[in-house]
């Protein structure tokens, strides 16, 4: 095998290719090509074509809208059934305790976490395109929902009992929870509508603006929010719940102010549960290849904790908060409270986008790993249906869970077929342990420091803004900063001068490689960005700096030299006349042929002659490499035309190489080409442009060669 690889490597090194063809500029190339004839369609024809329906087209649309119809009839039972059953059981076992725990983050009773773990999962099976992600409750989204619920329904709005002296104990928690459930359900309803609309309008591409550093920084900050919110449950401390800017600071301050009231029993049991969960996760991680299914530590801890609580009567003996009875069965459908929409609209947009970005990111990872494609627009529609329909059944907003998705994929799950499927400090322990993976993302700081300072800045801004401004405003701030970095990169591209690798048509940066050489009199300039209004000035200044030729400076120096030359000639002529007059008086001589003898400028010394030579650039041709240019706007076209004009005035010919067809069409629409700027100096490649510049320079030099040596010169150049 190694011998075969060495043989293939040697063949690659010894292979050669030789192409003999004319030097192609765009004018010559377009003259030899024939464009395909296309008959433009009228608006009526386009509408008629889009409305035309056939059985094949209807079938395709049906499959794209309901993907399960495409893959379920071809489901390979023998290959997939066992793996899907094991995966469904494993994921379902994780889903139940996580649903209970994440309901606390959403500021709603735990049973609503179970509702959110059932209806959306069932709906995604029909409408989703990913085969491996686990849809349901997720810490970040639950935290965002809880922040809105607490903001809209704070404890202060709930009436207290008349006969109670303790305000905290006399709050009408049932009324508070009912109103917060209404907020959470309406938020799911609205975010579902937003996701549906974005999906139908084909806005699945919005996820590209949520870059990986941004999402990871945002989720890390969300993990800190979640961890902070669970401290009071772990310690058994009663404090208010905070949301909005600086909520983390207020929550920590509130916990520290009541740290002396810590419930020792709750703390001991909670820490024990955390240790057990961490041990279980470590065993699952180390022995995941040997274990047929992961050890369901969450459900085991819930069972043990519930048994200990009931056996030791922790609620009454040690005043430990318990979830209480969980209602049996499912609730009847109910319409969300539409009147809440104006107050939560902005929050719904943030939840819709964050939820989609999390789901599509995980879906892309698994799709790439297992070799299938996902549809971003259909994912938006699927999530929108899950949230919209689920809201009528008392579900709050959901998305993809990273931990459950990894379990579902690692246990052999192939499809979504079988995915459907307490104490407060115990649930807090489950939440905290499940944040372990997110807290590991602090290691991104060192990674991005080594790889990209800009991505590090995005991560830090996303983390800091989301931590202190809240998850909603933090997300908006992070997205805005990411946009600014894009503008910064396009305004500050890298500029380089290219040279040729000897005996090839390959051109590289002359500052990077010693072997790369420049052609005498030719400069090849490249910028790794498009040419438009934001960077046109920097492009021009970098061009002048890199080439060492500033046409304005050359022209100014020429005018200055011409003026100085004129003064010197005038002074020399005046001195000659005076000397001639004196000589005539002294020798009584007459002028020869009616003219006095003049001292020629050529008789001056070399130092004096240098003062009269007009400044000239050290190059005769400038090639602009447009390979990285994706678009040119009107400002860029005017800048390019100005560059060509300025360099032409100082005797430098400017040509453009490797200009793509879309950029060429944009230049044509912008009226870039005219009598002074033609396609004659636009070339298919850098090497074509270099050869054309050499031929042009040779012809120019040949004009000044004496006639008797011209034939000898041409033979030498050929």
């Amino acid at each position: 095998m190694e011998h075969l690889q060495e043989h293939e490597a040697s063949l690659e090194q010894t292979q050669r290719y030789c192409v003999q063809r004319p030097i192609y500029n765009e004018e010559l190339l377009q003259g030899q090509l024939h464009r395909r004839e296309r008959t433009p369609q009228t608006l009526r024809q386009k509408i008629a074509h889009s409305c035309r329906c056939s059985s094949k087209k209807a079938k395709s649309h049906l499959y794209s809208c309901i993907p399960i119809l495409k893959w379920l009839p071809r489901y390979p039972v023998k290959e997939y059934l066992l793996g899907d059953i094991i995966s469904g059981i494993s994921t379902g076992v994780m889903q139940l305790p996580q649903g209970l725990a994440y309901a606390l983050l959403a500021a709603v009773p735990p049973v609503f976490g179970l509702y959110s773990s059932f209806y959306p999962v069932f709906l995604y099976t029909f409408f989703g395109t990913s085969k491996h992600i686990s849809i349901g409750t997720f810490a970040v989204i639950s935290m965002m929902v809880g922040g809105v619920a607490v903001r809209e329904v704070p404890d202060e709005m709930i009436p207290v009992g008349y006969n109670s002296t303790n305000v905290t104990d006399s709050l009408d928690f049932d009324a508070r929870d009912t109103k917060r459930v209404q907020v959470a359900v309406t938020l799911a309803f609205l975010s579902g509508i937003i996701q549906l609309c974005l999906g139908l309008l084909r806005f699945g591409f919005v996820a590209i603006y949520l870059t990986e550093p941004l999402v990871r920084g945002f989720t890390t900050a969300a993990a800190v929010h979640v961890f902070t919110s669970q401290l009071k449950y772990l310690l058994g401390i009663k404090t208010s719940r905070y949301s909005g800017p600086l909520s983390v600071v207020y929550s920590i301050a509130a916990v520290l102010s009541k740290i002396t009231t810590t419930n020792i029993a709750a703390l001991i049991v909670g820490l024990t549960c955390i240790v057990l969960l961490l041990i279980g996760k470590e065993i699952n991680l180390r022995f995941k290849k040997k274990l047929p299914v992961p050890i369901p530590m969450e459900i085991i801890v819930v069972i043990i904790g519930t048994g200990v609580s009931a056996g030791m009567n922790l609620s009454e003996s040690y005043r430990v908060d318990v979830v209480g009875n969980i209602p049996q069965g499912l609730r009847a459908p109910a319409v969300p409270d539409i009147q809440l929409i104006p107050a939560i609209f902005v929050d719904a947009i943030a939840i819709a986008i964050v939820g989609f970005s999390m789901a599509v990111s995980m879906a892309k990872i698994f799709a790439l790993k297992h070799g299938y494609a996902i549809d971003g627009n259909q994912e938006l529609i699927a999530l929108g249906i899950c949230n919209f329909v689920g809201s009528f059944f008392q579900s709050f907003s959901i998305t993809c869970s990273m931990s459950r998705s990894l379990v579902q994929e690692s246990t052999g799950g192939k499809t979504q077929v079988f995915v459907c499927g307490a104490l407060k400090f115990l649930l807090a322990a489950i939440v905290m342990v499940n944040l372990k993976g997110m807290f590991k993302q602090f290691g991104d700081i060192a990674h991005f420091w080594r790889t990209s300072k800009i991505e590090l800045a995005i991560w830090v801004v996303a983390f800091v803004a989301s931590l202190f401004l809240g998850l909603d405003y933090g997300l908006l701030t992070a997205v805005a900063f990411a946009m600014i970095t894009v503008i910064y990169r396009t305004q500050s591209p890298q500029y380089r001068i290219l040279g040729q690798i000897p005996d090839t048509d390959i051109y590289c940066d002359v500052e990077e490689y010693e072997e790369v050489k420049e052609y005498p009199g030719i400069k090849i300039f490249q910028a790794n960005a498009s040419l438009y209004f934001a960077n046109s000035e920097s492009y021009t200044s970098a061009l002048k700096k890199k080439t060492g030729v500033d046409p304005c400076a050359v022209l100014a120096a020429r005018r200055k030299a011409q003026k100085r030359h004129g003064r010197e000639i005038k002074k020399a002529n005046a001195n000659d006349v005076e000397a001639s007059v004196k000589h005539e008086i002294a020798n009584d001589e007459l002028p020869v042929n009616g003219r006095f003898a003049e001292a020629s400028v050529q008789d001056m010394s070399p130092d004096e002659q240098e003062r009269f030579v007009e400044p000239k650039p050290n190059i005769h041709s400038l090639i602009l490499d447009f390979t990285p240019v994706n678009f040119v706007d009107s400002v860029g076209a005017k800048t390019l035309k100005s560059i060509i004009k300025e360099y032409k005035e100082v005797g430098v010919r400017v040509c453009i190489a490797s200009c793509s067809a879309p950029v060429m069409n944009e230049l044509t629409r912008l009226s870039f080409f005219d009598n002074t700027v033609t396609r004659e100096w636009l070339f298919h490649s850098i090497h074509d442009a270099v050869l054309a510049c050499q031929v042009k320079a040779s012809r120019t030099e040949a004009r000044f060669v004496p006639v008797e040596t011209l034939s000898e010169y041409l033979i030498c150049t050929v």
Side-chain angles (χ1 to χ4, degrees):
M1 186 66 181
E2 294 180 357
H3 178 71
L4 180 60
Q5 292 178 349
E6 293 177 359
H7 179 66
E8 291 177 353
S10 63
L11 283 178
E12 290 178 358
Q13 294 176 357
T14 57
Q15 284 179 334
R16 297 288 186 272
Y17 77 89
C18 180
V19 178
Q20 187 174 2
R21 62 171 177 80
I23 300 173
Y24 279 123
N25 58 27
E26 285 298 324
E27 189 174 11
L28 179 61
L29 190 61
Q30 294 299 326
Q32 295 187 1
L33 298 175
H34 299 85
R35 291 188 176 273
R36 297 182 183 274
E37 294 184 2
R38 291 187 175 90
T39 304
Q41 290 183 328
T42 63
L43 179 60
R44 181 178 179 181
Q45 290 174 330
K46 292 179 180 179
I47 295 175
H49 178 73
S50 62
C51 295
R52 190 180 299 125
C53 185
S54 63
S55 59
K56 184 178 180 180
K57 190 174 182 180
K59 189 177 180 180
S60 175
H61 281 297
L62 184 62
Y63 283 166
S64 63
C65 293
I66 310 178
I68 193 174
L69 297 177
K70 185 176 182 180
W71 58 263
L72 186 60
R74 295 179 292 178
Y75 181 80
V77 177
K78 293 182 179 180
E79 297 180 20
Y80 287 0
L81 184 61
L82 180 60
D84 281 346
I85 291 176
I86 295 174
S87 175
I89 294 174
S90 303
T91 308
V93 167
M94 288 185 64
Q95 181 85 274
L96 292 176
Q98 286 188 6
L100 294 171
Y102 292 156
L104 297 179
L105 296 179
V108 296
V111 68
F112 292 93
L114 299 181
Y115 300 154
S116 302
S117 301
F118 172 70
Y119 293 108
V121 176
F122 180 75
L123 292 168
Y124 185 84
T125 303
F126 288 88
F127 298 100
T129 60
S130 176
K131 301 176 182 179
H132 295 89
I133 64 174
S134 175
I135 293 296
T137 56
F138 183 55
V140 174
I141 298 297
S142 300
M143 186 70 189
M144 296 177 72
V145 172
V148 179
V150 172
R151 185 192 69 204
E152 296 298 321
V153 189
D155 291 337
E156 292 79 9
M157 292 179 60
I158 306 302
V160 298
Y162 296 104
N163 300 324
S164 176
T165 57
N166 191 331
V167 174
T168 303
D169 293 337
S170 61
L171 290 176
D172 189 351
F173 289 110
D174 291 336
R176 181 199 65 181
D177 290 343
T178 300
K179 291 187 177 182
R180 286 182 178 177
V181 167
Q182 291 177 351
V183 173
V185 167
T186 307
L187 201 56
F189 171 80
L190 186 55
S191 62
I193 292 178
I194 293 171
Q195 289 172 333
L196 267 174
C197 293
L198 291 177
L200 294 174
L201 294 174
R202 321 304 290 174
F203 267 72
F205 68 89
V206 297
I208 63 176
Y209 295 102
L210 297 169
T211 65
E212 182 184 4
L214 187 151
V215 172
R216 294 177 72 87
F218 173 79
T219 52
T220 306
V224 177
H225 276 278
V226 173
F227 185 86
T228 304
S229 69
Q230 298 304 295
L231 280 176
K232 64 178 183 179
Y233 297 115
L234 181 67
L235 300 175
I237 296 174
K238 297 183 182 297
T239 64
S240 300
R241 177 165 177 165
Y242 300 93
S243 63
L246 300 178
S247 59
V248 171
V249 178
Y250 295 145
S251 298
I252 295 176
V255 170
L256 293 178
S257 65
K258 295 187 177 182
I259 195 70
T260 55
T261 63
T262 298
N263 190 317
I264 303 301
L267 178 61
I268 293 174
V269 179
L271 291 177
T272 304
C273 293
I274 289 177
V275 172
L276 291 175
L277 289 169
L278 289 175
I279 293 174
K281 285 186 174 292
E282 190 66 24
I283 293 174
N284 287 333
L285 181 63
R286 292 195 176 187
F287 301 99
K288 62 180 180 180
K289 294 183 179 180
K290 298 180 180 180
L291 293 172
V293 295
I295 299 174
M297 285 304 299
E298 283 94 346
I299 198 69
I300 292 174
V301 169
V302 169
I303 295 173
I304 295 174
T306 304
V308 171
S309 174
M312 299 181 63
N313 197 13
L314 295 180
S315 177
E316 296 182 3
S317 301
Y318 298 95
R319 303 190 66 183
V320 173
D321 288 339
V322 297
V323 173
N325 294 325
I326 296 178
Q328 296 181 356
L330 301 174
R331 288 197 171 192
V335 178
D337 189 355
I338 308 299
Q339 296 179 351
L340 293 171
I341 289 180
I344 62 175
F345 183 76
V346 176
D347 305 285
I349 294 176
I351 290 174
I353 294 177
V354 173
F356 167 67
S357 67
M358 297 299 297
V360 80
S361 298
M362 291 298 295
K364 284 182 177 180
I365 292 173
F366 292 127
L368 183 64
K369 181 178 180 180
H370 294 277
Y372 63 91
I374 64 163
D375 185 349
N377 295 307
Q378 183 59 29
E379 286 296 300
L380 263 174
I381 293 173
L383 287 174
I385 292 174
C386 292
N387 282 315
F388 175 76
V389 177
S391 66
F392 290 92
F393 295 92
Q394 312 301 302
S395 296
F396 54 85
S397 298
I398 53 85
T399 186
C400 161
S401 168
M402 290 189 292
S403 59
R404 292 197 308 272
S405 298
L406 291 172
V407 169
Q408 180 174 327
E409 188 266 344
S410 63
T411 52
K414 302 295 183 182
T415 65
Q416 298 282 343
V417 172
F418 289 97
V419 174
C420 306
L423 299 170
K424 285 190 178 181
F425 63 81
L426 175 58
L427 299 181
I430 294 175
V431 171
M432 290 180 172
V433 172
N434 280 301
L435 297 176
K436 177 184 175 183
M438 293 188 188
F439 282 124
K440 285 184 177 180
Q441 293 177 167
F442 278 109
D444 293 343
I445 297 176
H447 170 71
F448 288 127
W449 176 265
R450 295 190 302 267
T451 57
S452 173
K453 300 299 189 296
I454 292 180
E455 290 188 334
L456 174 63
I458 294 174
W459 193 100
V460 171
V461 169
F463 174 78
V464 174
S466 301
L467 184 63
F468 292 105
L469 298 180
L471 297 179
D472 45 3
Y473 293 113
L475 178 63
L476 295 176
T477 303
V479 172
F481 182 78
M483 295 291 187
I484 293 174
T485 62
V486 174
I487 298 173
Y488 170 77
R489 290 185 181 188
T490 57
Q491 283 187 311
S492 306
Q494 294 182 352
Y495 302 102
R496 55 179 64 89
I497 295 294
L498 305 182
Q500 184 196 36
I501 298 177
D503 301 326
T504 70
D505 61 349
I506 302 173
Y507 293 82
C508 302
D509 189 353
V510 296
E511 297 180 358
E512 290 290 330
Y513 306 100
E514 296 179 355
E515 294 82 3
V516 175
K517 304 297 180 184
E518 291 187 71
Y519 283 105
I522 300 176
K523 289 286 184 181
I524 306 171
F525 179 78
Q526 182 192 74
N528 64 334
S530 298
L531 183 58
Y532 68 115
F533 70 93
N535 65 354
S536 57
E537 292 185 5
S538 61
Y539 185 93
T540 304
S541 60
L543 175 65
K544 295 175 181 179
K545 182 178 179 180
K546 284 288 186 179
T547 59
V549 178
D550 186 348
C552 297
V554 173
L555 290 175
R558 282 185 179 181
R559 287 191 292 268
K560 187 175 180 181
Q562 288 173 356
K563 290 180 181 179
R564 186 169 65 247
H565 190 188
R567 289 195 300 268
E568 294 289 345
I569 291 295
K570 186 176 181 180
K571 182 178 179 180
N573 289 337
N575 292 336
D576 290 345
V577 171
E578 183 179 356
S580 299
V581 171
K582 290 181 179 180
H583 184 70
E584 181 183 355
I585 295 174
N587 300 306
D588 196 20
E589 294 181 356
L590 295 175
V592 180
N593 295 328
R595 296 181 64 188
F596 295 106
E598 295 183 4
S600 175
V601 177
Q602 282 81 3
D603 296 334
M604 297 180 181
S605 64
D607 293 338
E608 292 175 325
Q609 289 184 22
E610 285 185 5
R611 293 183 299 169
F612 299 141
V613 176
E614 293 183 354
K616 292 184 178 180
N618 57 356
I619 62 174
H620 57 74
S621 300
L622 174 60
I623 300 172
L624 304 179
D625 179 20
F626 264 42
T627 303
V629 177
N630 294 320
F631 68 91
V632 176
D633 67 351
S634 59
V635 177
K638 291 178 182 178
T639 300
L640 190 59
K641 206 165 189 177
S642 175
I643 289 172
I644 295 174
K645 181 181 178 181
E646 289 180 359
Y647 277 91
K648 185 178 180 180
E649 291 179 357
V650 297
V652 178
R653 189 70 177 243
V654 178
C655 55
I656 301 172
S658 302
C659 185
S660 64
V663 175
M664 183 77 66
N665 294 333
E666 287 180 357
L667 292 175
T668 303
R669 286 195 298 269
L670 294 170
S671 302
F672 176 76
F673 301 105
D674 52 23
N675 295 331
T676 58
V677 181
T678 65
R679 287 181 171 85
E680 180 185 355
W681 286 94
L682 269 72
F683 294 90
H684 180 69
S685 68
I686 298 177
H687 200 58
D688 285 309
V690 169
L691 295 177
C693 292
Q694 287 181 316
V695 172
K696 184 70 176 180
S698 300
R699 291 174 181 173
T700 304
E701 294 175 3
R703 295 176 186 173
F704 304 100
V705 177
V707 176
E708 59 272 12
T709 60
L710 181 57
S711 59
E712 181 181 353
Y713 173 82
L714 291 175
I715 293 173
C716 292
T717 55
V718 174

